[in-house]
Amino acid sequence: MGSTSAHDETGTGSGAGPGRRDLIKRSAALGLLSVPTMSFLTACASGGDAPKAAGAKAAVTKENPFGLAKGTKLDVVVFKGGFGDDYAKAWEAAFDKKWGTSSTHLGTPEITGKLQTRFNGGNPPDVVDDSGAQKIKLDVLARSNQLADLTPVLDAPSLDDPDKKVRDLLIPGTVEQGMQGGKCVSLNYVYTVFGFWYSGKLFKEKGWTPPKTWDEFLDVCTKAKEAGIGGLAHQGKFPYYINVVIMDLIAKKGGLDAMKAIDNLEPNAFEGSAAALAAVEALYEVVEKGLLMPGTNGLTHTESQTAWNQYKAAFIPSGSWLENEQIKQTPDDFDMRFLPMPLLPDSALPFEAIRAGAGEPFIVPEQAANKPGGLEFIRSMLSREWSTIFAQQANSLTVVKDGVDPGVKLRPGTQSAVAALKQAGTNTFNYLYPDWYSEMDSAIQDASNELMAKRIQPKEWIKRAQAAVNKAAQDPNAKNNRRS
């Protein structure tokens, strides 16, 4: 999900893709992929060796900074959602090829259901993509000392340029996004953009102009309603998505200080914040004027998104995993487009400013049987080779700077998000509280659910959100979770 990617709660993502062997052939042979000198795909393990115990270690060298022993087992579990899991199968095959490891793979939307007992029993996997609605909360894992410190990975030599540390090749903000209590314990891998999405085809047919102000947004929603189309669809059963609208409006109206006040649990983060009240009132106007797609409050993410793909609504909020998640439901000529959050009057940030940052957290459990293998796997993910494999298979960018070969073809929606990123320049922002304080995040989502159903008014939403902040401020870790 954005930082906490709720992007496919049911795991219905992009469907089956090419087989593992085909992926490896493509990643090695296509002109799309530039293979580093120390390629994962060329070094072979010696055959016939007996499997070693998972915890076996080898000598630590510059090429093997964590002492990964060849011939060990590696247990990988990834969230199977909007990005699918073909990319991970390709990674594992490449890893086994280089290190002589024997990887086991599980792709599932049920991270908590599959792994909670394993964490509790002291036998977690070696690498986990802890994402989706059923993820295990990172702050909960951190408080129980279940997460390995990833600082050694950040300080290890990069596979693409051994003279540089891994951390030097990451997009700014990546390390900060993975911090818990002052320690980096997750590697948020996917560079995600958040905002509204619309159909270029529908807008062209109706003669609508993509709005830059909230008044213009309401105008398009009104015209859509008059045409028998919903204005705004949202993923009602998962209010994480409608919170994107509220929180983006707050950040753009009040500027970075308004955003930081929420992350830093300030006593006036919501109560006393003119930006917060203006944002909630603006969204509530959509509800009051009947501009929501009928029934959207009761739909899941895939149900709402599919209705939007059927031209039953003009806009829907989401992260940039949306296109890949909806690939089967999207008409060929839909022309998916990204739109930064429109501006409220007197906003501190420009229209081009967007929420963008690292999402999809990968972790190495502290009690992993093959911890050296888990750490080496994370380092491998941050190579240009693996980053390009991900872009090819998941239609998304990673946090590796210039980590995707220019020859990789992204789909129209993702291309429009990349273009918006370029327009934004340095005007990007991202919240950290969902990962730092999961209980607070859930409470704010619950309040948004009530707001969209007209069961509470904007001022009550503000009151509930501030109460969630005040409760989170009592967390002993809060003193270490500070952003400047």
Side-chain angles (χ1 to χ4, degrees):
M1 294 182 180
S3 38
T4 46
S5 49
H7 43 275
D8 197 337
E9 288 79 4
T10 62
T12 55
S14 56
R20 179 184 296 200
R21 183 173 298 175
D22 291 337
L23 296 182
I24 299 306
K25 285 180 180 177
R26 285 176 61 192
S27 59
L30 281 180
L32 298 176
L33 185 62
S34 62
V35 182
T37 305
M38 294 176 60
S39 172
F40 294 104
L41 306 178
T42 54
C44 296
S46 57
D49 291 339
K52 293 191 176 84
K57 289 199 69 172
V60 171
T61 65
K62 187 173 184 179
E63 291 75 25
N64 186 6
F66 314 113
L68 170 58
K70 290 184 180 288
T72 50
K73 295 179 179 179
L74 189 75
D75 187 352
V76 182
V77 177
V78 299
F79 170 68
K80 188 174 182 180
F83 300 123
D85 65 344
D86 283 337
Y87 71 90
K89 293 175 183 177
W91 285 353
E92 291 153 18
F95 197 78
D96 290 349
K97 185 78 169 179
K98 176 179 182 181
W99 290 103
T101 47
S102 177
S103 295
T104 59
H105 171 91
L106 174 63
T108 176
E110 303 172 4
I111 298 298
T112 293
K114 299 291 186 183
L115 297 186
Q116 187 69 66
T117 55
R118 293 191 60 185
F119 272 97
N120 292 344
N123 64 327
D126 302 312
V127 182
V128 181
D129 170 17
D130 185 28
S131 192
Q134 298 182 52
K135 74 174 190 173
I136 304 176
K137 304 299 186 184
L138 288 171
D139 56 335
V140 174
L141 288 172
R143 281 198 298 269
S144 56
N145 299 314
Q146 294 274 19
L147 301 177
D149 186 357
L150 298 184
T151 303
V153 177
L154 301 175
D155 291 334
S158 160
L159 283 154
D160 295 321
D161 184 353
D163 291 330
K164 292 184 178 179
K165 294 180 179 180
V166 167
R167 68 168 71 242
D168 297 332
L169 302 182
L170 304 180
I171 289 172
T174 301
V175 175
E176 185 180 34
Q177 197 74 40
M179 301 293 283
Q180 291 281 346
K183 184 167 67 174
C184 183
V185 293
S186 70
L187 189 282
N188 292 267
Y189 188 67
V190 184
Y191 197 65
T192 306
V193 175
F194 297 86
F196 281 135
W197 298 80
Y198 66 97
S199 162
K201 177 188 178 184
L202 179 65
F203 271 55
K204 186 176 181 180
E205 287 179 352
K206 300 295 184 183
W208 299 337
T209 301
K212 291 188 175 182
T213 69
W214 194 254
D215 285 342
E216 291 171 354
F217 171 77
L218 293 175
D219 183 56
V220 174
C221 287
T222 301
K223 289 177 180 176
K225 183 179 179 181
E226 292 169 352
I229 302 170
L232 175 64
H234 77 105
Q235 302 83 337
K237 288 188 175 181
F238 298 101
Y240 160 84
Y241 292 86
I242 203 64
N243 268 8
V244 168
V245 181
I246 295 173
M247 294 298 168
D248 283 15
L249 286 172
I250 291 174
K252 294 182 82 163
K253 169 75 173 175
L256 299 183
D257 287 342
M259 176 195 70
K260 291 176 183 178
I262 296 171
D263 281 346
N264 288 338
L265 309 179
E266 300 293 345
N268 62 347
F270 291 107
E271 288 185 333
S273 168
L277 183 60
V280 183
E281 288 180 338
L283 179 59
Y284 194 64
E285 192 172 354
V286 176
V287 179
E288 285 192 306
K289 291 183 174 180
L291 300 178
L292 289 177
M293 182 182 77
T296 192
N297 285 343
L299 300 181
T300 66
H301 66 301
T302 50
E303 290 167 344
S304 263
Q305 291 162 190
T306 298
W308 171 72
N309 280 141
Q310 295 167 346
Y311 306 104
K312 294 179 181 177
F315 301 100
I316 196 164
S318 187
S320 47
W321 61 77
L322 177 67
E323 185 172 37
N324 206 57
E325 185 170 76
Q326 291 297 115
I327 190 168
K328 289 184 177 180
Q329 290 76 32
T330 306
D332 290 339
D333 59 350
F334 189 80
D335 190 19
M336 194 178 293
R337 300 287 185 92
F338 173 79
L339 181 74
M341 196 58 56
L343 291 181
L344 295 172
D346 302 316
S347 286
L349 300 182
F351 165 71
E352 291 79 12
I354 53 178
R355 190 199 303 205
E360 205 74 9
F362 282 75
I363 59 174
V364 175
E366 180 62 34
Q367 298 185 64
N370 192 357
K371 191 174 172 183
L375 297 175
E376 183 61 41
F377 195 89
I378 298 290
R379 184 172 78 121
S380 305
M381 286 169 53
L382 299 170
S383 67
R384 184 180 178 89
E385 183 175 354
W386 283 29
S387 181
T388 298
I389 289 173
F390 184 85
Q392 288 172 317
Q393 300 307 318
N395 184 48
S396 194
L397 302 179
T398 75
V399 295
V400 181
K401 292 178 188 174
D402 302 319
V404 177
D405 192 278
V408 173
K409 300 298 182 184
L410 300 172
R411 299 189 185 101
T414 303
Q415 287 180 10
S416 74
V418 171
L421 265 176
K422 291 180 180 177
Q423 287 290 318
T426 58
N427 282 307
T428 60
F429 58 92
N430 201 18
Y431 287 91
L432 299 179
Y433 78 86
D435 282 341
W436 282 354
Y437 312 108
S438 59
E439 189 177 339
M440 167 184 157
D441 184 35
S442 295
I444 295 175
Q445 289 185 37
D446 290 343
S448 298
N449 189 42
E450 297 290 288
L451 182 83
M452 299 308 289
K454 296 181 74 172
R455 289 191 288 266
I456 65 172
Q457 303 285 314
K459 288 184 179 178
E460 176 63 19
W461 186 98
I462 293 289
K463 182 180 178 181
R464 293 189 185 190
Q466 187 63 53
V469 166
N470 296 344
K471 185 176 181 180
Q474 299 171 18
D475 185 336
N477 260 336
K479 64 181 183 296
N480 295 316
N481 291 339
R482 298 289 297 179
R483 61 187 306 171
S484 56

